[in-house]
């Protein structure tokens, strides 16, 4: 035979030509005999795998295949050997080279056992190791990206070049308060507070220009509160073009608020120092003024700017050799505070002075005690504030015994000073459910001088319960000994009630959504079986003699199916009632054994086909206060799954056993089916659209709905399973009633 290769040249396709092509081509060509042993190996084996052809002749091909790939390869060769297929493209498998390394091969096998010139299986193989390695690296990269994106504790989301939110991780949902359904088609600017939009859009435009940038912004939480973010925008660039913008943001609300709090506290401290009646100034280690308040400056009749960084002894020589100078040197050396009174003839004033050491020098506060009336007036003002404030104030001694309460405390709790004097606040305010050890720990902390703040459930005098935000501050004397405790008792009942109402509303919405899912499932699944039976029986009845016994039996079966269909529709009405009323109203007393029998009858045709049987070890008085449709759906799912995933090695046996435990009921559904490897599947077992068997058809929704329905009726579910040893589902029903 001759083939024209080019217009100017003609080549004769001789046996030598074919031999040269086969021996020296880049593909590995082999011939296997009927036992799967090498009958022929092309010379390219030495280039690709390091073997000489004669090294492999007579060797079983499966000996060189990776153990994990042998079952698949053995099955494919079986099809070729016994005529099921003439040519098969084998899935990629690992092949051992002479140096011990594993190479990935792509192989096409053709059965030429009936060809007298070949009488074997011809394989054409290519080394695709680099391709498989690239695929593995790609999967790893995708896994790393997924881990960085979805498992990142910070907010991570992707924006299109138009600014729409394309994808986000769970942190975005948790911190922003919106569901993922709120984001599609939403522009990120819709969530940014107006005062931060200019800076945020500037950063986004930089990212669109290919520049990464970090900035501060603030978004609106779903509940209306502010959330401060420290965000970084990174452009996603491919071939010089920005495809999208990746954003990684950290919730800096706490840090921001802490910074504002520190700033406010610093300002508050400044305001306090400025509002102090005492003069206050600081001296550095070189005895220069480093700080002072207005009282101090006014006392000296000079401005603070004029005094700062000047040496005190040079500015006021009359202070030399005074007790004040002696105490300054002493405090600087011993690092111990000191308080004393001293008369200064130069200014005709007696000052009460307090010296305290600090890292950079000493702090000096003083008060002109010649002005006692001014001090008494200040004390009166402070007493008035404490007595008239809207927050309750309690003052106790070091034994936590009440010495004084203000009017606001009496108005809120109903207790007067005369009634509670000498008592401890915990004796009449604390809730009886509070752990005594917790009270002991609080008292221990207060004894050590540690301030406390806690939200507590308290009693009014009339027995009414109120929530209070209680702040307790120990007051120490000059020696550091605790003398008093000041309680600030703030009524936060209204706020706590609002929080509880919000939680109830959220729970109600959650259950409504849950019930809607169950309703959709029952409509699409539980109606299918009785409708299919009705259709099947109708078709059979048309072919039977109306006067025959089989026809009458078919009519009876048709009526039974219609009644079952009516029961399912009745259950659907109950589910609709759940959606329009609260969850409790949809509950009823359910006989577990009756529901189990109904489930078994509905699946009897599948049991007959699979040769399986169900053993019900249930009691007639196994009653549950639950939603009957949910119980039916749960059992139907678990029993049908046991039938679907039966073992190929033994007859199917399903056992339902109930055990009573106090006020609860435990139901186990055990089968001897194909089982599962829980170490692999457990993290995803009850997730939506997750499947764990490659055999029977399924959508991966059954176990998800079982879990949701158990949650809806206040139950729990556990699983034990091993491959080819079967599966046991244990259901815990908390609301059971026996014989009622």
């Amino acid at each position: 035979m001759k083939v024209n290769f080019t217009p100017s040249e003609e080549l004769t396709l001789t046996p030598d030509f074919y031999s040269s092509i086969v021996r020296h081509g880049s593909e590995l060509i082999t011939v296997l005999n009927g036992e799967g042993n090498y009958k022929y190996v092309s010379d390219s084996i030495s280039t690709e795998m390091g073997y000489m052809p004669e090294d492999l002749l007579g060797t079983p091909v499966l000996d060189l295949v990776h153990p994990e790939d042998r079952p698949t390869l053995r099955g494919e060769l079986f099809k070729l050997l016994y005529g099921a297929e003439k040519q098969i493209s084998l899935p990629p498998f690992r092949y051992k080279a002479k140096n011990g390394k594993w190479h990935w091969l792509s192989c096409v096998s053709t059965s030429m056992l009936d060809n007298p010139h070949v009488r074997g299986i011809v394989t054409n193989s290519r080394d695709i190791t680099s391709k498989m390695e690239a695929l593995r690296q790609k999967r790893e990269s995708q896994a790393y990206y997924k881990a960085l994106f979805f498992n990142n504790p910070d907010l991570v989301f992707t924006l299109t070049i138009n600014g729409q939110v394309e994808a986000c991780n769970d942190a975005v949902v948790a911190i922003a308060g919106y569901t993922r359904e709120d984001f599609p088609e939403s522009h990120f600017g819709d969530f940014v507070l107006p005062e931060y939009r200019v800076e945020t859009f500037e950063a986004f435009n930089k990212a669109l220009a290919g520049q990464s940038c970090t900035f501060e912004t603030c978004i609106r939480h779903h509940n209306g509160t502010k959330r401060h973010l420290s965000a970084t925008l990174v452009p996603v660039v491919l071939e010089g073009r920005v495809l999208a913008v990746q954003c990684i943001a950290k919730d800096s609300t706490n840090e921001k608020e802490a910074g504002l709090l520190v700033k406010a506290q610093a300002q508050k401290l400044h305001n306090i120092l400025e509002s102090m009646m005492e003069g206050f100034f600081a001296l550095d280690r070189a005895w220069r003024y480093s700080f002072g308040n207005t009282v101090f400056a006014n006392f000296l009749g000079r401005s603070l700017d004029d005094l700062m960084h000047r040496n005190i002894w040079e500015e006021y020589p009359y202070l030399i050799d005074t007790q004040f100078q002696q105490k300054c040197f002493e405090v600087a050396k011993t690092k111990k505070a000191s308080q004393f009174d001293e008369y200064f003839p130069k200014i005709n004033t007696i000052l009460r002075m307090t010296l305290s050491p600090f890292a950079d020098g000493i702090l000096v506060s003083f008060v002109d005690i010649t002005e006692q009336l001014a001090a008494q007036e200040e004390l009166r003002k402070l007493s008035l504030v404490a007595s008239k404030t809207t927050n309750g104030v309690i003052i106790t001694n070091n034994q936590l015994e009440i010495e004084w309460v203000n009017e606001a405390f009496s108005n809120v709790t109903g207790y007067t000073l005369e009634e509670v004097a000498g008592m401890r606040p915990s004796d009449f305010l604390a809730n009886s459910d509070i752990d005594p050890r917790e009270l002991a720990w609080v008292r221990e902390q207060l004894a050590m001088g540690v301030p406390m703040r806690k939200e507590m459930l308290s009693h009014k005098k009339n027995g009414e319960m109120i929530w209070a935000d209680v702040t307790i501050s120990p007051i120490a004397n000059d020696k550091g000994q605790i003398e008093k405790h000041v309680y600030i008792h703030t009524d936060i009942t209204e706020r706590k009630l609002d929080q509880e109402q919000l939680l109830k509303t959220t729970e109600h919405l959650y259950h409504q959504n849950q019930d809607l899912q169950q309703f959709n499932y029952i409509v699409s699944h539980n109606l299918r079986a009785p409708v299919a039976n009705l259709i099947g029986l109708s078709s059979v009845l048309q072919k039977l003699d109306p006067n025959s016994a089989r026809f009458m039996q078919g009519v009876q079966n048709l009526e039974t199916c219609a009644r079952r269909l009516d029961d399912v529709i009745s259950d659907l009405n109950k589910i609709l009632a759940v959606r329009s009323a609260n969850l409790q109203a949809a509950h009823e007393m359910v006989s577990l054994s009756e529901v189990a029998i109904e489930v078994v009858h509905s699946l009897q045709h599948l049991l007959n086909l699979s040769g399986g049987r169900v053993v019900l070890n249930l009691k007639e008085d196994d009653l549950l206060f639950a939603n009957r449709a949910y119980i039916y759906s749960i059992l139907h799912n678990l029993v049908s799954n046991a039938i679907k995933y039966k073992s190929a090695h033994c007859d199917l046996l399903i056992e339902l056993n109930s055990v009573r435990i106090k006020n609860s009921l435990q139901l186990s559904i055990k089968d001897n089916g194909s089982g599962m490897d829980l170490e692999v599947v457990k993290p995803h077992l009850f997730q939506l659209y997750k499947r764990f068997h490659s055999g029977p058809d399924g959508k991966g929704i059954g176990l998800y709905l079982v879990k949701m329905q158990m949650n809806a009726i206040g139950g729990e579910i556990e699983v034990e399973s091993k491959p080819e040893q079967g599966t046991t589902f244990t259901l815990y029903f908390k609301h059971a009633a026996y014989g009622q």
Side-chain angles (χ1 to χ4, degrees), residues 619-665:
K619 305 172 185 64
E620 291 185 0
D621 60 346
D622 285 345
L623 304 177
L624 302 174
F625 189 67
N627 186 298
R628 191 179 192 279
Y630 287 2
I631 301 298
Y632 181 92
S633 180
I634 291 167
L635 298 185
H636 190 279
N637 264 304
L638 296 179
V639 175
S640 63
N641 276 356
I643 299 172
K644 186 183 300 181
Y645 302 113
K646 68 179 291 292
S647 173
H649 306 296
C650 60
D651 294 334
L652 175 63
L653 174 62
I654 306 173
E655 297 179 74
L656 275 70
N657 299 284
S658 65
V659 178
R660 302 177 181 181
I661 304 175
K662 294 184 180 180
N663 246 1
S664 63
L665 183 68

Side-chain angles (χ1 to χ4, degrees), residues 386-456:
S387 63
K388 298 303 181 181
T389 181
T390 57
N391 293 331
V393 178
I394 306 173
I395 298 178
T396 71
N397 58 21
N398 57 359
Q399 299 299 316
L400 302 179
E401 297 168 343
I402 295 176
E403 294 181 340
W404 182 80
V405 298
N406 69 347
E407 185 178 346
F409 175 84
S410 298
N411 292 337
V412 171
T413 65
Y415 292 103
T416 64
L417 175 60
E418 291 74 15
E419 292 175 316
V420 298
M423 299 176 64
R424 291 183 173 184
S426 59
D427 294 341
F428 59 96
L429 289 178
N431 185 18
S432 59
D433 294 334
I434 191 169
D435 189 345
R437 293 172 296 180
E438 184 177 356
L439 279 177
W441 180 83
V442 169
R443 290 168 181 166
E444 181 181 342
Q445 298 299 301
L446 294 176
M448 293 188 297
V450 179
M452 302 290 297
R453 181 174 182 179
K454 186 175 181 63
E455 291 184 357
M456 301 179 63

Side-chain angles (χ1 to χ4, degrees), residues 514-528 568 572 575 629-630 632-638 640-641 644 688 699-706 709:
Q514 208 174 30
D515 292 339
L516 181 59
Q517 292 179 357
Q518 311 313 317
F519 170 75
N520 289 337
Y521 169 72
I522 293 174
V523 169
S524 61
H525 289 73
N526 292 19
L527 284 176
R528 184 176 300 168
V568 173
L572 291 178
I575 296 299
Y630 287 2
Y632 181 92
S633 180
I634 291 167
L635 298 185
H636 190 279
N637 264 304
L638 296 179
S640 63
N641 276 356
K644 186 183 300 181
L688 190 60
K699 296 183 178 179
I701 194 173
L703 289 182
Y704 168 78
L705 290 171
V706 167
Q709 290 165 336

Side-chain angles (χ1 to χ4, degrees), residues 1-13:
M1 181 177 65
K2 297 181 180 180
V3 178
N4 291 327
F5 283 84
T6 66
S8 61
E9 127 177 84
E10 192 173 75
L11 186 63
T12 301
L13 303 181

Side-chain angles (χ1 to χ4, degrees), residues 30 85 217 323 383 391 430 432 452 489 497 534 561 580 592 637 639 676 718 731:
T30 62
E85 302 284 349
T217 188
Q323 184 183 8
S383 299
N391 293 331
S432 59
M452 302 290 297
H489 187 277
L497 291 176
L534 286 172
C561 292
S580 60
L592 188 60
N637 264 304
V639 175
M676 300 174 288
E718 294 181 356
L731 311 178

